[in-house]
Amino acid sequence: MVLPDLRDVVTEYKGMLLLYRSAIKEMTTRLEILGEEYRFSQGVNPIRKIESRIKSDENIVRKLQRKGKEISVDNIQAYVEDVAGIKVLCRYTTDIYRIVDLISSQKGIEVLKAKDYQLEPKMSGYRSYHMIVAVPVNLSGRTVSTKVEIQIHTMAMDVWSELEYEIGFRSTNAAVSEHTLKALRECADMIQYLDKKMLEIKEEFETE
């Protein structure tokens, strides 16, 4: 069996990461423009903050292993849909769907998958809206469609999500007790109640 030259593998991997970083820049720029355009026409920007990240090598490998796939650049691109990630924070739950509509209406952006965890929270109580989109990356002489995961949630829900991640709930392989799950769900419900009440206050204030 002829093994691939390590230098070729490294070059291919670096080229793949270049695509993902470029896709993040492209999508982030579009989001910033959409937010400012919405502010111009409606008086308020539904986007409060945009964050991004490239998935770590360790987490990429772990995800492929969980899927039972050989570790290769082709498999990363085929089976790891969240190598490039963008998190969009907003003030109110209604802003989530405004942002979803803005992204979905973008020319050249293809929505591959969407999951509304606002309507169907995860077992832990996690609420958000996830999209996998294909973003065109224009290179010299060619355009490469590149996957980006977009997570949209309120600032209040982001606090809960960060703490959930900090305690290691999503990264642990150990069984989580029903007591822990119940506590997480209770905290998530409190956040949902806060989001709901703040939206009600906002709408009431606007009608006065």
Side-chain angles (χ1 to χ4, degrees), residues 1-184:
M1 180 177 66
V2 178
L3 296 176
D5 190 298
L6 181 58
R7 289 170 298 182
D8 293 339
V9 174
V10 171
T11 298
E12 187 181 8
Y13 183 70
K14 287 182 177 179
M16 181 198 71
L17 292 182
L18 170 63
L19 279 177
Y20 285 120
R21 286 194 296 268
S22 301
I24 285 175
K25 289 180 181 178
E26 171 71 21
M27 195 68 236
T28 298
T29 299
R30 290 199 187 208
L31 286 166
E32 289 171 348
I33 293 171
L34 287 169
E36 287 303 315
E37 181 188 24
Y38 198 92
R39 186 204 301 274
F40 178 77
S41 62
Q42 303 297 325
V44 62
N45 187 341
I47 298 173
R48 182 67 181 85
K49 188 177 182 181
I50 303 171
E51 299 177 355
S52 64
R53 62 102 183 101
I54 295 291
K55 202 174 190 70
S56 70
D57 297 347
E58 180 184 27
N59 286 335
I60 289 173
V61 169
R62 186 181 294 123
K63 196 155 196 174
L64 282 178
Q65 289 174 335
R66 284 203 307 267
K67 291 175 178 286
K69 302 298 181 182
E70 180 184 347
I71 299 169
S72 69
V73 170
D74 286 343
N75 281 346
I76 292 171
Q77 293 176 310
Y79 298 108
V80 184
E81 296 181 318
D82 60 344
V83 174
I86 292 176
K87 181 166 65 176
V88 183
L89 303 183
C90 55
R91 295 172 180 83
Y92 306 103
T93 52
T94 49
D95 289 335
I96 292 174
Y97 299 102
R98 289 191 181 98
I99 296 167
V100 169
D101 289 342
L102 289 173
I103 294 171
S104 300
S105 64
Q106 272 287 284
K107 185 177 181 180
I109 301 295
E110 181 184 0
V111 179
L112 303 176
K113 291 182 182 179
K115 181 66 175 179
D116 190 346
Y117 292 111
Q118 281 289 124
L119 293 179
E120 298 180 24
K122 289 187 177 182
M123 182 173 55
S124 64
Y126 173 82
R127 290 179 172 90
S128 183
Y129 196 104
H130 288 199
M131 307 173 76
I132 303 295
V133 300
V135 179
V137 176
N138 295 312
L139 302 175
S140 54
R142 63 192 177 110
T143 299
V144 182
S145 183
T146 306
K147 294 176 186 176
V148 176
E149 182 194 53
I150 303 175
Q151 298 181 8
I152 311 166
H153 46 230
T154 65
M155 293 184 291
M157 195 62 207
D158 186 55
V159 172
W160 181 95
S161 178
E162 289 290 338
L163 293 174
E164 181 210 27
Y165 182 82
E166 192 71 25
I167 65 176
F169 174 77
R170 276 176 278 176
S171 61
T172 182
N173 292 319
V176 178
S177 70
E178 183 56 38
H179 173 76
T180 300
L181 280 175
K182 183 172 182 284
L184 281 168

